[in-house]
Amino acid sequence: MNALVENISAYEKMLDVLEVEHRGKWVIFHNGEFVDSFDDFQDASGQAVDRYGGDPFLLRRVGYSTFQMPASLLYKPA
């Protein structure tokens, strides 16, 4: 199974518990397992990169839906 799919699947299986215990926090999943939760993105992303480097992990904020923004909203022309 693809690592990203495995981590997303693990996140979705735990979502009920995460919504109660970690709502609004950033959570890390690695190898299909919950690792830890953090109050802010910088702490979560820093820990994930320090622990796993280039190894795939999932970093997601609990209780917030994910969506894609068009590139025109993400970048300003130079």
Side-chain angles (χ1 to χ4, degrees):
M1 182 184 295
N2 176 319
L4 180 59
V5 172
E6 181 181 20
N7 288 327
I8 291 171
S9 177
Y11 172 84
E12 290 173 349
K13 285 178 186 173
M14 280 193 68
L15 193 54
D16 289 341
V17 172
L18 294 170
E19 288 278 351
V20 171
E21 297 179 7
H22 302 284
R23 185 165 182 77
K25 295 190 180 224
W26 291 91
V27 294
I28 301 170
F29 279 78
H30 180 257
N31 288 335
E33 294 184 14
F34 172 72
V35 176
D36 208 347
S37 69
F38 299 85
D39 291 326
D40 61 62
F41 176 79
Q42 284 73 23
D43 289 341
S45 60
Q47 283 294 317
V49 170
D50 287 348
R51 289 181 190 181
Y52 308 115
D55 203 23
F57 59 85
L58 176 71
L59 179 61
R60 189 168 281 179
R61 192 167 190 194
V62 179
Y64 292 80
S65 61
T66 59
F67 62 95
Q68 280 189 302
M69 293 189 348
S72 61
L73 295 176
L74 294 174
Y75 303 102
K76 287 192 224 178

